Each structure stands twice: as structure tokens, then as C-alpha cells.
Amino acid sequence: MWYYIRIVFLVIFIGGLPVWIRILSFWNRSSDYIQTFIVPDPSNDVYDFIVVGSGSAGCAISNSLSKHNKVLLIEAGGDPIALHKIPGIAYEILNNPDVDWMYETVPQKAAGFGLKEQKVLYPRGKGLGGSSNLNYMFYLRGNALDYENWANITKDDTWRYENVLPFFKKSLVYNGVFWDSNLEKHYGQSQYGNLYVEARKYSPLREEFINAGKELGYDEIDANADQRTGFGDVEASIRNGSRWGAYRAFIEPLLNEENLKIARYSQATKIKIDKTNRATGVFYVQHGQIKFAKAKKEIIISTGAVDSPKLLMLSGIGPRKHLESLGIKVKVASEHMGQNLQDHTAVALMPVTIDKQISLMPLRDFTLNEVMKYWINGTGVFTNPSAAGAQAFISSSTVKKKGVDWPDLQLYMFAAGNSPTTVEDCSRVQGFNETVLRPFLEPILGKDGFFIVTTLVRPHGRGEITLRDKNPFSPPVINSRLLEDSRDAKVLVEGIKLALRLVEETNSLQGLGAKLHKTSFSQCDHHKWKSDGYWECYIRHFSISLYHPTSTCSMGKVVDSKLRVNGVRGLRVADASIMPVIINANTNAPAIMIGEKAADFVRDYWASQYEVCPFNSILMSDAVTKCFYTRLT
């Protein structure tokens, strides 16, 4: 009897998620449309600042600037739906058009052979909170050397790690496992904090994975405190088992504040730039109506590494030949716009099984009892997507030869079993070709197991984003050039061989009966199983994006070190697109840091415009003193 009730529950709740997402999203959109007839149109007002895009950075900026300024936040989506709060169904929410832009790359030349049409999916969050509504919530800052590199590239010391650390801590409410008096440097808190970070209570195989690393000689580490090679826990932006994304951290507390106005379901189509090359306003479309909002001081673009260069190019800022070929009038030639695309490439070691029933199997473990545990106590299987348990940061042999500990590989333990629906799920959500994946996984479907995901976090390859046409509603053309640089494939081979060693050479995982199975994989049969050639072939078939695109509006190329768009006044970009080089860990926390830092840049600049020189400075004609009687241009 209970078995049939469970099946009905799974069909209605999990199998019906796309329908529930559509219903809840339709309700939000309809409610907002009705509101447009009741509340004053925000486009009728003039603002100090306009923020375009409410992803992780945009939410942080809007929160910070609206404390003492009039701010309009323009967002193409609406409020997050209730299902966004449940971490355990994060995987199922991906690739739904109401909450995800569902971008994809062009067919790849050197990888994607096991994907549909060799296209890599590029999910991007649509709605207040952006991709923090879709991600796995890992809270990671990256390596100190990442930021030293930024400072060297930009020749601006404010980007060194010790100078960005306060902006990581500024919004943090830390309830993790690493807090003690000796780590106040990394986790000290202020009353401003809104971003909750905790360790996941439900993390099967966490200890086994960390102990396996110790068996191979690696230390246990805190990846957010002087990150180095080692294995450690995964902490996440959650609160009492519920997703705590950028919307809940930065926007929800300000919904009734007069200084912050939000234009929902409003897709920005163009930045207005006047004859003096100053950005003065934003054209956008809300519920089918074209509108225009004006900014007195600045416009900040925070639509992410895919859409920020797209909007700027639509506005006439970009490579001259490309824009002219599409009939777009060039306002400022910016040849690097959309170039330098970087991302983290991921590939899972599979198929692996274990003998014990301790991995997450949705058909077995998503029960009514677990729903109640989550609803009442914020505990259980629904608090963790794909049972993410632990992680490792590893420096490849190439990095070690340089004598630095700057990891270029990140490994994750996902204690998700080989569900009977794995092939269909991977096809729908990640774009795998079922004709390639099914014979490879079918023999072990229904068995407990896990996935060790190997990720290249310091790639050599670079891609690009260009416009498809001048229609603002057309998706951009994304070419990640996945694994076209042979060095990237070489590093991933090292990573997946380490994952195999963890499975086959450690008592911690062998004690679970862990086994890598040799199944049908005709595409790589011409290589000896487990040889370097086999693993490179495997990687070129099954590698995907980890959904961390960056660097398409890089500092030093498109924007300066204060994030001002080169050649345009009153216009900044603040999101992951400004990274000159991608950091070696998940990008959500760094994007929030960038937002906090951008708000600080903006405040400092505009405060200096109204400082009045002391009388003695006027008499002495002190040109060095940063004070003025009138505003700077």
C-alpha cells in the first residue's frame, strides 16, 4: 500500500515539477501584470542609479546603494517560486524556460561528442536572484593567488585577496563548522550580514571521501581559509536546510523600502548613450510594452557573463566589424567585448556502484516522511541537491612543476545513486545524447553508487559570445571552445585518474564495495580501458560546463579596475563577466563580493564629487587635494 502511495507522490511531485514550475511562474507573472495597473509605473520616475539584472552581484549592489540613493532594479524575470527554496530538487528545476534562459553553445569541435548535437547547455537564472536560484549553493571564494593575479593584471592593489576579503565577510552570516577564535580573519561577521552559510547536515559519504583523500596523503582543509591542496567539507548558502540565494539575502528584506523600486518581467533592450558618450537611461520591455527609465548618476549592468556583453553590444559598445555587420550603430568600439569567455569544465567518473544502500535514490528516498522532515525541521534528503557531500582541491603536475600550491582541479563527491531514470534525467537537464549514454549506464541502473565529478578550474582555453542579430530577444551565440586547448584535456585526465584511485585504492571507499564497471562504450573501444587515451576520449564525450561562465567584460580590456566601461561615462559592469581570469572555485560568492565592491566604488566616486575644499587648500591652490566645489564630469 505504502509503495503505491510513494509512486503516486513521486509522479505528482517530482515527475510533475515542470507543470508546477509553469503554474507558479504563471501566477507570479499574472500578479505582476495586474500590479502594473495599480502601482505607479517606475519608468515615470528618475533615479540616482539603475541596476540592470538581479543576479548575485546585482542584488548585492541594489541592497547597498538603495540605503541612501534612489535605485531602480530592472529584472527580466519575476520573484523566485516556492520550489526554488528546496535544495533537494535543484537538479530538476534546471532547464525549465520559466526560470532558466536555457542557453546552449554552438556545436563544439573538440568535445561534446556524447551530447545532443555536440552542444553544451548553459543554464542561466531568470528571476530575482538570478543563477543563485538554480545553483547548488556551494559557498567558495577561490584561491588567494586568483586575486593576486587580478591585482597584477589590473595594476590595482584593491583587488588583492586581503583587500577583497572584507567584501566577502561584509554580507556573511556564518553558521558553518570552521568557526573558532583563530579563524575570525576569514569569518568575522558584521551586523550588515544577510547571506547565511551553513554546513549541510545531510551529506552521505562526506567522511568516506575525506578519509579516502587522507589515505592518499592529502590534508583535510577549510577551502575558504587560505585555500590549498586538500580534501574538505562543502558549505553552502542555506539557512535551516532552505536555499538562501541572493534574493532572500539582499532583496526580500527591502521589498517595502521606498528607495528601491523593482521592475519585474522587464527585459532591458538597450542602454541610451548620449552625444557626449554618457549613459543616461535604459530601454526595456515590460509585459509587451516598451519603456524607458532615466538615471541621474550611473547605470550598472549586472546581467552576467552571457547577457552583459549581449546588452552592451546591442547598445553599440563592442567589436566594430561585428556590430556593423548586424546593422548596429557603433557608439564605442570595444574589440574585446564578449571575448575571453572562461568556464569550469566538469566530467563525472562513472559508472560506479557500491554495495550499501546509503546513496540518494529518489525513487526510494523521496518519501512523504522526508517531505515532513524537511517541512517541519529543515532536515533530510531535500536539504541537499544530488547528495553533495565533500570536495577536494588538487594541483596538477603542471602546477606543481611551477612550485606553487594553486589548485587547478576540483573534485566533488555526489552520493547520488544510479537511479533508473538517470539516463532520461541527464538527457533532459544536461543535454546528454541518450543513444550514447544508455548502453554505457544501463547495466548498473537501479544500483546504489556515487559520482566523483572532476572539474578543471583554471582552464587555458578561451571562448566568445557574439550577437545572433540585433533583435534583443534572440539568444546570443555562445562558443565555449570546450577542450580545444589540449592542455585542458591533459589536466582533466589527471583529475579523473585521481578519482579512480580514490575508488580503487582506498579502504574508505573499497569498504563500501565501490567499483568502476566496464560497460558498453563503443565510441572509445579503440583505446585500452583506463589508459590515458581512453580517459581523454571519455572526457571529450562526457565533459560539460559547470555553469560558471566569466570574463567576457574583463577588467583591463572592457572595463577598468573600478568597473567603469571604457569609453562611456556613467556606465559600469559588475558581475562575473569582469573577472580578468576565472577564479579556481565556484563563482557565486565571488560574484556577490564583486557586487559589494562595485557599490563601494560607486559610493566613493559620488561622495568625492561633493566634497568642499578647506579654505587653506583654495589659497594654496592644492591640486592634489581630492575635493571640489562642483561635480566632476
Side-chain angles (χ1 to χ4, degrees):
M1 177 66 178
W2 286 110
Y3 173 80
Y4 293 108
I5 292 176
R6 178 186 301 172
I7 295 299
V8 171
F9 163 73
L10 289 170
V11 170
I12 294 175
F13 181 60
I14 303 301
L17 272 178
V19 176
W20 288 112
I21 291 170
R22 179 58 56 88
I23 291 171
L24 293 171
S25 299
F26 176 77
W27 174 263
N28 280 357
R29 181 181 288 272
S30 300
S31 299
D32 187 76
Y33 179 67
I34 294 171
Q35 285 290 313
T36 62
F37 295 100
I38 301 172
V39 301
D41 187 342
S43 67
N44 291 332
D45 212 338
V46 178
Y47 299 88
D48 295 309
F49 302 101
I50 297 176
V51 180
V52 183
S54 67
S56 298
C59 286
I61 294 166
S62 301
N63 179 293
S64 188
L65 291 182
S66 64
K67 285 178 170 55
H68 302 291
N69 299 277
K70 200 169 184 179
V71 176
L72 173 64
L73 175 59
I74 297 176
E75 168 53 45
D79 291 349
I81 59 175
L83 295 173
H84 278 131
K85 297 180 180 180
I86 308 172
I89 60 173
Y91 186 79
E92 285 77 14
I93 287 179
L94 287 169
N95 222 20
N96 286 281
D98 294 286
V99 295
D100 185 346
W101 286 103
M102 296 177 61
Y103 291 142
E104 61 183 16
T105 70
V106 298
Q108 298 298 286
K109 295 178 180 178
F113 302 141
L115 305 178
K116 298 173 187 174
E117 301 178 357
Q118 292 181 223
K119 295 179 179 179
V120 180
L121 299 190
Y122 248 58
R124 297 285 85 202
K126 183 192 294 185
L128 291 167
S131 294
S132 75
N133 295 332
L134 302 181
N135 68 1
Y136 273 23
M137 296 150 279
F138 290 8
Y139 181 84
L140 288 160
R141 297 167 175 170
N143 192 282
L145 291 175
D146 292 323
Y147 301 99
E148 297 304 305
N149 192 32
W150 291 11
N152 293 334
I153 291 171
T154 61
K155 296 179 174 56
D156 186 341
D157 285 344
T158 65
W159 289 103
R160 296 197 184 281
Y161 183 69
E162 65 268 20
N163 295 325
V164 300
L165 181 58
F167 294 94
F168 278 111
K169 294 162 59 177
K170 185 176 182 180
S171 56
L172 185 66
V173 180
Y174 183 71
N175 295 314
V177 300
F178 295 109
W179 173 266
D180 61 42
S181 58
N182 296 322
L183 289 176
E184 186 174 349
K185 171 185 175 183
H186 304 284
Y187 297 112
Q189 301 176 54
S190 70
Q191 294 181 349
Y192 173 80
N194 297 298
L195 183 69
Y196 284 79
V197 172
E198 300 177 356
R200 291 187 168 115
K201 297 175 183 177
Y202 170 74
S203 294
L205 303 186
R206 173 169 49 196
E207 288 78 13
E208 289 85 349
F209 185 70
I210 294 173
N211 289 336
K214 291 178 180 178
E215 289 185 53
L216 295 185
Y218 293 97
D219 293 336
E220 184 172 357
I221 63 167
D222 171 7
N224 286 311
D226 297 326
Q227 184 216 83
R228 57 191 173 87
T229 295
F231 284 61
D233 204 352
V234 172
E235 297 193 314
S237 50
I238 56 175
R239 186 181 186 187
N240 298 325
S242 179
R243 178 190 294 273
W244 205 261
Y247 169 77
R248 298 181 79 181
F250 300 106
I251 300 301
E252 195 172 50
L254 302 182
L255 289 179
N256 295 320
E257 296 294 327
E258 285 298 316
N259 270 358
L260 178 63
K261 300 299 181 184
I262 303 173
R264 297 169 174 83
Y265 301 102
S266 302
Q267 184 167 342
T269 58
K270 187 178 180 180
I271 308 301
K272 183 178 180 180
I273 301 171
D274 67 17
K275 293 180 180 179
T276 67
N277 270 13
R278 182 175 190 85
T280 60
V282 180
F283 292 98
Y284 64 96
V285 175
Q286 183 181 42
H287 298 300
Q289 292 188 335
I290 299 174
K291 297 184 178 181
F292 177 75
K294 188 174 181 180
K296 292 187 292 185
K297 294 181 178 178
E298 288 192 37
I299 297 164
I300 300 104
I301 309 300
S302 298
T303 51
V306 175
D307 284 309
S308 285
K310 174 189 171 185
L311 179 58
L312 289 166
M313 285 188 281
L314 288 168
S315 305
I317 308 168
R320 180 176 296 277
K321 287 184 179 180
H322 177 54
L323 299 187
E324 288 178 344
S325 71
L326 298 175
I328 296 173
K329 183 179 179 180
V330 178
K331 292 284 189 177
V332 175
S334 179
E335 299 306 315
H336 296 285
M337 183 71 71
Q339 303 299 302
N340 199 37
L341 172 63
Q342 297 164 50
D343 196 1
H344 293 151
T345 302
V347 61
L349 178 68
M350 56 185 183
V352 176
T353 63
I354 57 178
D355 294 338
K356 299 184 178 180
Q357 293 187 358
I358 55 175
S359 62
L360 176 66
M361 298 283 279
L363 294 178
R364 179 186 69 205
D365 300 327
F366 282 3
T367 63
L368 291 172
N369 183 54
E370 287 293 336
V371 171
M372 297 307 296
K373 284 170 61 177
Y374 179 78
W375 185 265
I376 297 171
N377 302 317
T379 59
V381 300
F382 286 104
T383 63
N384 191 343
S386 303
Q391 64 186 339
F393 284 92
I394 307 294
S395 291
S396 70
S397 59
T398 303
V399 173
K400 290 177 183 177
K401 288 178 183 177
K402 297 179 181 178
V404 295
D405 190 358
W406 190 359
D408 54 348
L409 286 165
Q410 184 180 12
L411 274 62
Y412 304 98
M413 164 61 82
F414 288 100
N418 302 286
S419 169
T421 63
T422 295
V423 174
E424 292 85 356
D425 294 341
C426 289
S427 176
R428 176 180 60 84
V429 176
Q430 295 172 304
F432 282 97
N433 187 334
E434 286 195 39
T435 60
V436 176
L437 194 61
R438 184 169 295 284
F440 185 66
L441 291 183
E442 198 160 40
I444 51 84
L445 294 180
K447 296 181 180 180
D448 279 81
F450 57 78
F451 298 86
I452 298 178
V453 175
T454 299
T455 308
L456 175 71
V457 290
R458 289 179 54 209
H460 295 89
R462 300 291 185 265
E464 67 175 0
I465 290 174
T466 54
L467 295 178
R468 191 174 305 273
D469 50 44
K470 63 180 181 180
N471 180 353
F473 300 100
S474 297
V477 178
I478 305 171
N479 187 359
S480 60
R481 297 196 175 96
L482 187 67
L483 301 183
E484 286 188 21
D485 191 308
S486 60
R487 294 173 292 180
D488 291 342
K490 182 180 178 182
V491 173
L492 276 172
V493 168
E494 280 195 40
I496 207 156
K497 287 169 70 175
L498 174 60
L500 181 62
R501 287 188 63 202
L502 292 166
V503 170
E504 297 186 339
E505 298 179 19
T506 65
N507 294 328
S508 297
L509 297 183
Q510 280 293 297
L512 304 173
K515 180 182 178 181
L516 176 72
H517 293 261
K518 185 178 182 181
T519 55
S520 177
F521 190 22
S522 60
Q523 292 80 1
C524 295
D525 278 350
H526 55 290
H527 295 287
K528 182 181 176 181
W529 190 47
K530 298 183 186 178
S531 67
D532 284 7
Y534 171 84
W535 286 125
E536 181 171 346
C537 179
Y538 175 93
I539 287 165
R540 292 191 185 279
H541 277 78
F542 292 139
S543 289
I544 60 172
S545 165
L546 202 65
Y547 316 143
H548 296 159
T550 70
S551 307
T552 50
C553 299
S554 299
M555 285 192 289
K557 294 182 178 179
V558 173
V559 300
D560 67 11
S561 66
K562 298 296 187 286
L563 310 186
R564 296 171 293 202
V565 176
N566 294 327
V568 185
R569 293 179 300 151
L571 183 63
R572 299 188 201 233
V573 180
D575 52 39
S577 72
I578 63 90
M579 296 182 184
V581 179
I582 193 171
I583 54 101
N584 79 339
N586 303 59
T587 53
N588 185 59
I592 292 172
M593 177 276 290
I594 289 167
E596 296 280 14
K597 197 165 176 63
D600 212 52
F601 286 149
V602 170
R603 279 193 301 268
D604 282 352
Y605 175 80
W606 287 99
S608 72
Q609 306 306 293
Y610 297 96
E611 291 180 2
V612 177
C613 294
F615 187 69
N616 61 343
S617 293
I618 301 168
L619 294 177
M620 299 297 293
S621 299
D622 186 358
V624 177
T625 303
K626 290 186 176 180
C627 54
F628 309 92
Y629 280 111
T630 59
R631 282 193 299 164
L632 287 176
T633 57

